Amino acid sequence: NDEGTTVCATYTMGNLGVGACDLESSFTTSSNTTNTASTTTLSAQYNLGGGVSVAATYFDVEQEENSVVATDADGLMTMLSIGF
């Protein structure tokens, strides 16, 4: 009864890039309990030129063990990249 689905996509046009990814999985343990996990990410990046780019990524992670929420986390990460 182990199964999972992942769907991801990216798109870039000029200096702008965006991406999204969704992961859904579930499995049944030897004690016949069901565990599920879901992870979603959304990201965007913009190249400013001269080796400088900025980016942001949002993520959502949820996990359940036998219908009890074990993890429910959301976050936002940002990046400033300077290349030489």
Side-chain angles (χ1 to χ4, degrees):
N1 288 338
D2 299 344
E3 57 186 48
T5 303
T6 303
V7 177
C8 296
T10 61
Y11 181 76
T12 304
M13 183 172 65
N15 292 339
L16 178 66
V18 294
C21 198
D22 186 52
L23 166 82
E24 302 282 337
S25 65
S26 66
F27 64 94
T28 304
T29 65
S30 59
S31 58
N32 207 27
T33 60
T34 301
N35 295 342
T36 61
S38 172
T39 303
T40 303
T41 59
L42 304 170
S43 63
Q45 179 174 347
Y46 187 75
N47 294 321
L48 300 169
V52 178
S53 65
V54 293
T57 300
Y58 166 77
F59 64 89
D60 177 38
V61 178
E62 298 175 1
Q63 296 174 327
E64 290 186 1
E65 298 174 4
N66 201 26
S67 299
V68 176
V69 174
T71 304
D72 189 2
D74 296 292
L76 180 66
M77 297 185 303
T78 59
M79 175 189 75
L80 171 63
S81 174
I82 301 172
F84 296 95

